[in-house]
Amino acid sequence: MAQYTPSIAVTCDFETIKDSRGYPSPRYVCPQNYVASIRDAGGRALLIPHESVDLTQPHLDFDALVIAGGDFDIPPSYYGEQPRRGLGALLEDRSAAARALCETAIAAQLPMFAVACSCSTCCGAARCSRTSPNAMEPRCTSNPMTSVRRPIM
């Protein structure tokens, strides 16, 4: 009997570089070690660009979710706050896609791992989408970068 291979969704970051002719070349990126770690643990990584997420009905064609970090800040409105001095770049579309995926994964009680600023997205999503008392929810402290989850595999 064939062994089941779990599908682990990994959100992508995006960047625009200049190609060899000097033209802008936008691309989605994901650290190679994320994919290698999932593969080495027996899973299959599915890279999810933020633009492919239907914010009204994100569907879950995967068994677990990794929300990758990036060089941006979470919109302060996610926490009922106003922007402050020192706020970094906001990637509203990417943050909205990550939040929609988090809310859906929390409701489905899927394992989730969030990296860096993405922990804040997931903690904000958990506050907005409470499910049963036994549902998996990030354990947020005063530092929203701290999140405890059950193992993905």
Side-chain angles (χ1 to χ4, degrees):
M1 185 173 200
Q3 181 178 350
Y4 179 73
T5 303
S7 296
I8 314 300
V10 182
T11 60
C12 296
D13 205 351
F14 66 96
E15 65 186 12
T16 301
I17 65 166
K18 290 190 177 185
D19 66 15
S20 61
R21 298 168 296 166
Y23 292 107
S25 178
R27 59 187 62 204
Y28 295 104
V29 294
C30 175
Q32 187 274 337
N33 60 338
Y34 289 23
V35 175
S37 296
I38 290 169
R39 181 199 60 231
D40 292 349
R44 177 180 50 239
L46 304 172
L47 303 182
I48 310 291
H50 71 278
E51 292 171 342
S52 69
V53 176
D54 179 352
L55 298 180
T56 60
Q57 293 184 322
H59 61 284
L60 302 177
D61 291 335
F62 46 84
D63 302 300
L65 176 63
V66 175
I67 304 290
D71 188 17
F72 64 98
D73 285 339
I74 303 302
S77 61
Y78 281 23
Y79 301 95
E81 299 288 330
Q82 296 297 316
R84 297 183 201 175
R85 193 173 72 149
L87 180 65
L90 298 179
L91 301 179
E92 300 274 354
D93 293 345
R94 183 167 185 255
S95 295
R99 186 173 184 168
L101 287 169
C102 286
E103 289 171 347
T104 304
I106 289 167
Q109 298 187 27
L110 290 182
M112 188 177 357
F113 181 77
V115 179
C117 63
S118 298
C119 289
S120 299
T121 300
C122 293
C123 288
R127 289 186 186 111
C128 296
S129 62
R130 297 289 182 202
T131 55
S132 73
N134 297 323
M136 297 178 345
E137 294 182 7
R139 294 183 189 141
C140 298
T141 64
S142 59
N143 177 357
M145 302 312 240
T146 305
S147 181
V148 178
R149 313 291 300 147
R150 71 178 181 178
I152 291 177
M153 293 183 257

